[in-house]
Amino acid sequence: MLIFAVQMIEELFMDYRRLTLMALAVCGLLNASTMNAQKRTKYEFERNLPAYADSLLKDLTFPLAWENSGMTDFDLWRKAARQKVFDCMLMAPPAGDGHVNVLCEEQRQGYKAQKLEIRLSRYYTVPAYVLIPDGEGPFPAVNALHDHGGHLFIGKEKMIRPLACEPDDVKKDADEWVAGYGGQFFGDYLAQHGYVVFSADAPMWGERGQKEGVQRDRYDMIAGNMMMYGVDLSAYMTYDDISGTEFLASMPQVDAQRIGCVGWSMGGYRAWMLSALSDRIKVGASVCWMVTTDEQMSFKYSRTENGGFANCFPGLRRWMDYPHMASMACPKAMLFINGSQDKLFPVAGVEKAFSIMHNTWQSQQADDKLDTEIWDMPHSCNVKVQERVLQFFQKHL
């Protein structure tokens, strides 16, 4: 009985301690260092990375990279490399019937804006905006892929100005977010120059978010839960980008032989990934998302943010690095812009990645179609960058 009583007292004490810590944290009386005070003298992880990160990096040999594969037929290599990517993307969402509801529509200066819901999968519908230039088509088209930014309340509204039918808080949020784009909505800018522009919410963003409201810290938890179903949240984003491009190609106003894609930050990752995996894309532009794993995932820099589940396909790094995957877009016309002051992507890793891609395009006598540029700027997609992308599209699309 005495032992049982002692155990009861210990459990009550632990419950009291946990409740006290929670109460103090809520009241702001407990700082982060106190909450993290429990440390062991031995450990295996540091700064969000395993302590043996350097050893892991040394063991990455990327056997399916074009230059390492031993293959001589580029088309056969691309087919094999794509299949490996799709294997690592796990199960695709089952295709939907493509049914489209036009929710609202408005005329803008030189183009029409529509809000749609498209059944891209049997599981869900995807909210999207589309901008259609005035006049007779078919027009060239662009899939405009929104960023991450740790900001999930809006998605498509980061690329295209919200329609009048949207709630005021969505409009206000978009107006504030577009400051990262130099105060200019990229999608509207392209539509003003004669492009059909499509932009959809990625899973977890905008109208595909959480019922409870935006909780950024739940993103990784939800992605982990998705894996318990045998599916990958990041892959769903890519699968939807491919399906959204197929929808874009089906529009009567679109010239299906002239479709490009563009994005900044996570949207830049989505742009080169989509270019690599979809034959519908003829031209791609990626702003501020390219690096090599050895620079991104090491202890050399103060930041060890790695994109996490937003760009994670299980096991894929054992086969190819980011620039090897992007090289599947060869020999398409591709533009990559990164910033010399971008703290997310070390210049050393950007330069390595650019060199790998140029070697691939050169091997296919297509290096004149690959433009890689490092600008004197931070993580940004300002008006000058948008002008450069438009110029690239006008030349190649």
Side-chain angles (χ1 to χ4, degrees), residues 284-290 334-342 345 347 350-351 353-355 357-358 367-378 380 382 384-393 395-396:
S286 172
V287 181
C288 290
W289 212 116
M290 182 46 68
M334 295 291 296
L335 170 66
F336 290 84
I337 299 175
N338 272 67
S340 61
Q341 303 168 43
D342 190 336
F345 300 100
V347 172
V350 175
E351 291 177 337
F354 285 176
S355 177
M357 290 189 292
H358 275 290
D367 199 44
D368 59 326
K369 293 184 179 179
L370 176 63
D371 286 4
T372 57
E373 302 171 3
I374 297 179
W375 290 30
D376 182 15
M377 68 177 191
S380 171
N382 58 50
K384 291 294 184 182
V385 170
Q386 295 177 46
E387 291 174 354
R388 174 70 179 98
V389 171
L390 174 63
Q391 178 192 51
F392 191 78
F393 282 159
K395 177 180 179 180
H396 294 284

Side-chain angles (χ1 to χ4, degrees), residues 129-177:
Y129 288 159
V130 64
L131 306 178
I132 304 170
D134 295 342
E136 292 189 19
F139 303 99
V142 176
N143 192 343
L145 305 154
H146 70 72
D147 63 67
H148 186 308
H151 187 73
L152 284 67
F153 182 65
I154 55 175
K156 59 190 177 297
E157 301 88 355
K158 295 180 177 183
M159 299 299 284
I160 293 176
R161 179 163 55 87
L163 277 70
C165 60
E166 298 290 7
D168 289 342
D169 57 346
V170 170
K171 298 174 190 173
K172 181 177 183 294
D173 200 65
D175 285 339
E176 293 173 352
W177 193 256

Side-chain angles (χ1 to χ4, degrees), residues 2 5 29 83 91 108 151 174 176-177 203 237 244 259 274 291 310-311 329 355:
L2 179 59
L29 299 177
Q83 188 57 55
M91 295 293 292
R108 295 182 178 175
H151 187 73
E176 293 173 352
W177 193 256
M237 176 174 67
I259 298 178
L274 177 59
V291 72
N311 56 270
S355 177

Side-chain angles (χ1 to χ4, degrees), residues 94-364:
D97 58 14
H99 180 73
V100 179
N101 282 331
V102 179
L103 303 181
C104 55
E105 180 177 295
E106 65 188 39
Q107 182 65 38
R108 295 182 178 175
Q109 189 171 357
Y111 58 99
K112 178 172 61 179
Q114 292 180 334
K115 181 179 181 180
L116 313 174
E117 272 189 349
I118 313 166
R119 185 158 289 282
L120 291 183
S121 170
R122 179 164 51 84
Y123 292 158
Y124 49 78
T125 59
V126 174
Y129 288 159
V130 64
L131 306 178
I132 304 170
D134 295 342
E136 292 189 19
F139 303 99
V142 176
N143 192 343
L145 305 154
H146 70 72
D147 63 67
H148 186 308
H151 187 73
L152 284 67
F153 182 65
I154 55 175
K156 59 190 177 297
E157 301 88 355
K158 295 180 177 183
M159 299 299 284
I160 293 176
R161 179 163 55 87
L163 277 70
C165 60
E166 298 290 7
D168 289 342
D169 57 346
V170 170
K171 298 174 190 173
K172 181 177 183 294
D173 200 65
D175 285 339
E176 293 173 352
W177 193 256
V178 80
Y181 292 82
Q184 176 172 271
F185 286 99
F186 204 163
D188 291 76
Y189 174 67
L190 293 172
Q192 290 165 0
H193 287 83
Y195 294 85
V196 172
V197 181
F198 174 86
S199 190
D201 288 337
M204 288 295 291
W205 273 267
E207 295 173 284
R208 302 182 70 186
Q210 302 167 72
K211 179 180 180 180
E212 299 81 5
V214 175
Q215 301 176 78
R216 172 64 184 89
D217 60 337
R218 295 296 179 91
Y219 183 93
D220 293 348
M221 183 180 296
I222 290 173
N225 285 341
M226 293 283 282
M227 286 187 176
M228 298 299 288
Y229 295 107
V231 300
D232 181 78
L233 183 60
S234 176
Y236 265 38
M237 176 174 67
T238 299
Y239 280 124
D240 287 347
D241 290 343
I242 295 171
S243 298
T245 304
E246 291 296 326
F247 165 77
L248 186 58
S250 74
M251 292 180 60
Q253 302 93 337
V254 169
D255 180 348
Q257 299 304 312
R258 292 193 293 160
I259 298 178
C261 63
V262 65
W264 166 53
S265 194
M266 182 184 77
Y269 161 82
R270 295 168 68 189
W272 61 253
M273 181 64 76
L274 177 59
S275 300
L277 297 179
S278 172
D279 290 333
R280 288 287 188 187
I281 297 296
K282 306 304 180 184
V283 181
S286 172
V287 181
C288 290
W289 212 116
M290 182 46 68
V291 72
T292 53
T293 299
D294 63 337
E295 297 293 330
Q296 183 195 44
M297 300 289 289
S298 75
F299 286 110
K300 288 190 288 186
Y301 305 96
S302 60
R303 181 182 175 85
T304 56
E305 198 284 322
N306 315 312
F309 284 108
N311 56 270
C312 177
F313 297 166
L316 183 54
R317 202 60 62 246
R318 288 287 167 181
W319 298 96
M320 289 177 285
D321 203 354
Y322 299 117
H324 305 137
M325 294 154 61
S327 291
M328 289 186 289
C330 178
K332 297 175 184 177
M334 295 291 296
L335 170 66
F336 290 84
I337 299 175
N338 272 67
S340 61
Q341 303 168 43
D342 190 336
K343 296 181 180 179
L344 302 186
F345 300 100
V347 172
V350 175
E351 291 177 337
K352 288 181 186 177
F354 285 176
S355 177
I356 289 170
M357 290 189 292
H358 275 290
N359 287 339
T360 303
W361 262 259
Q362 287 169 6
S363 76
Q364 302 307 304

Side-chain angles (χ1 to χ4, degrees), residues 26-43:
V26 169
C27 295
L29 299 177
L30 194 67
N31 61 35
S33 61
T34 304
M35 289 290 288
N36 296 326
Q38 287 186 304
K39 297 181 181 179
R40 302 294 295 267
T41 56
K42 293 185 177 181
Y43 58 87

